[in-house]
Amino acid sequence: MKLYSYWRSTTSYRVRIALHLKGLAFETIPVDLVKGEQRADEYLPVNPGKGVPALVLDDGTVLTQSLAILEYLDQAHPDPALLPANPIERAKVQAAAQVIALDVHPVNNLRVGQKLKAMGHDQDEVVAWMNHWMSEGFTAFQAMIRPDTKFCFGDTPGLADLCLVAQLYNAHRWGTDLTPFKRLTKIEQLCLALPAFDAARPENQPDAG
Amino acid sequence: MKLYSYWRSTTSYRVRIALHLKGLAFETIPVDLVKGEQRADEYLPVNPGKGVPALVLDDGTVLTQSLAILEYLDQAHPDPALLPANPIERAKVQAAAQVIALDVHPVNNLRVGQKLKAMGHDQDEVVAWMNHWMSEGFTAFQAMIRPDTKFCFGDTPGLADLCLVAQLYNAHRWGTDLTPFKRLTKIEQLCLALPAFDAARPENQPDAG
């Protein structure tokens, strides 16, 4: 498989973690979001959504959108599972993951920051914007995960954990106040001690700057 | 079942369509987002994410996040199916739906509009902001669906169609230029002619203003 990825993209980070957790070999094809390579004519057939990640399967099929890719990987390569089989438990894990994947990340995406700057806001205002949505999202997320488990929903990391760890990378980068989120940073610490998470870290990618 | 819903919430609209398509009876509990009822203390235990929809199952279990709810409904009540069974086909339908559910809707959410106003932008700027993301998203979406089917991916409406129809409600409301999206408005027309979509329309809800 090949993964179109950008080292600092948190959606790419989620998929990298899943690939490593499941022991799947892949080649990284870097797409430099800051240079705008995701908007290049030659990238459009890969992903009309002009973003990363995009996963190219061995038969040439291209899959886009990190949550769709993650669910595909979990169906095609079920061990270890990212999602529980029980429909209600599954929906609860997905809902927590989606607080990060829908309520936080899209509003803080690079293109949204660039749009805010085009509307006259400076870097400090963009950072305050990002931190606002992260604080709101982490508050909801922390209330939605299980209070008594090692990882978000059990003894092994799953979909919610990998969305969390990737988003916390941004939180550290932009100085979000994480004091109220001790359980989340504890889970992050446990995750990052695992080789699969470590291999997927932004700074361990071939295109890291 | 009970559905916490707001008539103009496009995420509530998606779930209403699915419930009607699957012939599931539900009671609507209106949450007035404009009045801020989603942030009330008594709503927090329902959804720590402070949004709608939230679906209360007959045993009292509460599910949140529209995409998680939709996938639950599709597992628990598989007929008619919203998603194909084949993992790759499934991932393609999900990716198209997620262009709307992740790249468009969260950036245009009521709370984002309110935040932009708090940062000094007027209604015209907020509307231009929303139209920008809708045009970008519809362009990607139109390139990702099948070109030769009645609905987005087949002869019957599925996850991508119901996300599309709900988002187009906002597009009409805010005057998005839909000239480049003839295939999408054609699909919308076919969908809205179906009783399930009609019953789910914002203007047919008990809390419609």
Side-chain angles (χ1 to χ4, degrees), chain B residues 43-198:
Chain B
Y43 188 67
L44 209 58
V46 176
N47 185 3
K50 302 178 188 174
V52 285
L55 183 69
V56 187
L57 307 184
D58 291 338
D59 70 356
T61 300
V62 184
L63 301 180
T64 61
Q65 288 285 347
S66 66
L67 295 185
I69 294 171
L70 291 166
E71 200 168 311
Y72 164 78
L73 288 173
D74 214 35
Q75 278 193 286
H77 308 276
D79 189 35
L82 300 178
L83 283 164
N86 175 283
I88 289 179
E89 293 311 311
R90 188 180 176 88
K92 289 188 173 182
V93 174
Q94 286 179 322
Q98 288 170 14
V99 164
I100 288 172
L102 279 89
D103 294 347
V104 178
H105 174 264
V107 193
N108 285 357
N109 212 339
L110 177 67
R111 55 186 155 202
V112 174
Q114 287 170 338
K115 180 82 177 150
L116 286 169
K117 287 185 184 172
M119 289 163 72
H121 297 285
D122 62 21
Q123 177 70 5
D124 286 351
E125 289 173 308
V126 173
V127 170
W129 165 279
M130 292 193 289
N131 282 326
H132 170 79
W133 303 113
M134 282 195 271
S135 295
E136 294 266 308
F138 290 144
T139 302
F141 184 91
Q142 194 164 252
M144 292 167 75
I145 61 176
R146 285 182 54 178
D148 52 354
T149 47
K150 186 175 171 189
F151 294 96
C152 291
F153 286 93
D155 292 335
T156 53
L159 185 72
D161 302 277
L162 55 83
C163 286
L164 172 66
V165 167
Q167 190 60 49
L168 282 172
Y169 171 77
N170 269 2
H172 296 300
R173 184 175 174 202
W174 302 113
T176 314
D177 176 14
L178 295 173
T179 321
F181 309 117
K182 298 245 182 293
R183 170 136 165 76
L184 306 189
T185 48
K186 175 70 185 164
I187 292 169
E188 179 193 31
Q189 201 179 9
L190 291 169
C191 286
L192 289 175
L194 301 172
F197 283 78
D198 188 60

Side-chain angles (χ1 to χ4, degrees), chain A residues 14 47-50 57 59 61-69 71-72 75-76 83 85-88 90-92 94-96 98-103 106-107 109 111-112 115-116 119-121 125-126 128-129 132-133 136 139-141 143-144, chain B residues 14 47-50 57 59 61-69 71-72 75-76 83 85-88 90-92 94-96 98-103 106-107 109 111-112 115-116 119-121 125-126 128-129 132-133 136 139-141 143-144:
Chain A
R14 291 174 199 158
N47 185 3
K50 302 178 187 174
L57 306 184
D59 70 357
T61 301
V62 184
L63 301 181
T64 61
Q65 287 286 346
S66 66
L67 294 185
I69 294 171
E71 199 168 312
Y72 164 78
Q75 279 193 286
L83 282 163
N86 174 283
I88 288 178
R90 189 179 176 89
K92 289 187 173 181
Q94 286 180 321
Q98 289 170 13
V99 163
I100 288 173
L102 280 89
D103 294 346
V107 194
N109 212 340
R111 57 185 153 203
V112 173
K115 180 81 177 152
L116 286 169
M119 288 162 73
H121 297 285
E125 288 172 308
V126 173
W129 165 280
H132 170 78
W133 302 113
E136 293 266 307
T139 303
F141 184 91
M144 290 167 75
Chain B
R14 292 173 197 157
N47 185 3
K50 302 178 188 174
L57 307 184
D59 70 356
T61 300
V62 184
L63 301 180
T64 61
Q65 288 285 347
S66 66
L67 295 185
I69 294 171
E71 200 168 311
Y72 164 78
Q75 278 193 286
L83 283 164
N86 175 283
I88 289 179
R90 188 180 176 88
K92 289 188 173 182
Q94 286 179 322
Q98 288 170 14
V99 164
I100 288 172
L102 279 89
D103 294 347
V107 193
N109 212 339
R111 55 186 155 202
V112 174
K115 180 82 177 150
L116 286 169
M119 289 163 72
H121 297 285
E125 289 173 308
V126 173
W129 165 279
H132 170 79
W133 303 113
E136 294 266 308
T139 302
F141 184 91
M144 292 167 75

Side-chain angles (χ1 to χ4, degrees), chain A residues 66-179:
Chain A
S66 66
L67 294 185
I69 294 171
L70 291 166
E71 199 168 312
Y72 164 78
L73 288 173
D74 214 36
Q75 279 193 286
H77 307 278
D79 189 36
L82 300 178
L83 282 163
N86 174 283
I88 288 178
E89 293 312 311
R90 189 179 176 89
K92 289 187 173 181
V93 174
Q94 286 180 321
Q98 289 170 13
V99 163
I100 288 173
L102 280 89
D103 294 346
V104 178
H105 174 265
V107 194
N108 284 358
N109 212 340
L110 178 67
R111 57 185 153 203
V112 173
Q114 287 170 337
K115 180 81 177 152
L116 286 169
K117 286 184 184 172
M119 288 162 73
H121 297 285
D122 64 20
Q123 178 69 7
D124 286 351
E125 288 172 308
V126 173
V127 170
W129 165 280
M130 293 192 290
N131 282 326
H132 170 78
W133 302 113
M134 283 194 271
S135 295
E136 293 266 307
F138 290 144
T139 303
F141 184 91
Q142 194 164 252
M144 290 167 75
I145 61 176
R146 285 181 55 178
D148 52 353
T149 48
K150 187 175 170 188
F151 295 96
C152 290
F153 286 94
D155 291 336
T156 54
L159 185 71
D161 302 277
L162 55 83
C163 287
L164 172 67
V165 167
Q167 189 61 49
L168 281 172
Y169 171 77
N170 269 2
H172 296 300
R173 185 175 172 202
W174 301 114
T176 313
D177 176 13
L178 294 173
T179 322

